[in-house]
Amino acid sequence: MDIEAGKTLTNEEVIRELLELLKKNAMKEQANDVFEICSYVDGLEKKIDSMTEELTNMQNQIKEMQEDTLVNNAKKALSEAQERLNARCEQIKSQVIEVKEQVKSTAKSIVDEAKAKGRSALYRVSEFLGIKKRFLDIRENVRGAIKTTDNDIAKTALLAKGFREAGQTVANAFRTFADKPEADYSQKEQKHFITKAVLAPMKVVKKMFVLMELHLDASIDKLDNLAMNVQIDKEKRIENTKNLKQTEPERAEAERVEAEIVNSPMVAEPQEYQYNADAFEARGADEVKQEASHKEVSKVREDKAR
């Protein structure tokens, strides 16, 4: 189950269509929340790819270590550490793919219903809160990976130190045998092959895990924020409806106008989707359309009053 190369969630057609519908129906905050959630998922994928690359490099470096009894024992221990990290990455990768598929499925369902029933269906973006449990599970997995990696880093550093000091002892033994003064290695920074081949990649992977945890924290907060923004929008519209004190025909006409939704045409060729302040420049034109709709409702009321 591999992640589709180069296909980010923010560039999925159904996500782009949902974002356009939200934007064109004056739901900018919700559109921003959805976009950022998708961006966080994309960020998790990129970090997993980077970690996989580091671990593959580590595996190759371990294989290239010289062969002798002592080193072979070290290679076995280091390979086991690399395999543990790799297994954890694959597990997290699988979890992220499941999140991605759930987001796409939910987005498609919302877009289809919005086209059929109008703006009110867009409130269903709060259903993205359903992936919160998945994010919590991934975060727990990442936290476990951080602890495991910290432990492996400490043991690998100790192993490298032992090999380095052993090598220095052997070198000085040969110096003594050759009637030469011993070298003072305390004044020199000596790094064993293990430090570069294994310890360095481990530290990079650990850093990626830490960044993933921060990403997941932000994703969970953003999901809660999305649900809150949807609720606020609902409450505002309920209050506005109460204040209008419409007659039944007027209410029916207002609901008809409210239900109208603009379907955004999609770009045929995939492109990197940008969703920032510039992407909302068209909002002014949309607000003009909304104002015209409100005037239409007002005109209906005036005609009925006559």
Side-chain angles (χ1 to χ4, degrees), residues 23 38 80 99 126 221:
K23 181 186 71 173
C38 293
E80 289 174 353
V99 168
S126 61
D221 288 342

Side-chain angles (χ1 to χ4, degrees), residues 71-110:
V71 172
N72 283 345
N73 289 333
K75 285 177 68 172
K76 183 175 183 297
L78 294 173
S79 293
E80 289 174 353
Q82 186 271 340
E83 288 168 5
R84 280 195 299 273
L85 284 174
N86 196 60
R88 182 80 74 161
C89 282
E90 286 299 316
Q91 186 180 29
I92 294 172
K93 180 178 181 178
S94 178
Q95 289 177 302
V96 172
I97 291 174
E98 289 175 359
V99 168
K100 184 174 181 178
E101 291 306 313
Q102 185 173 343
V103 170
K104 288 166 60 178
S105 174
T106 302
K108 184 180 186 307
S109 176
I110 294 170

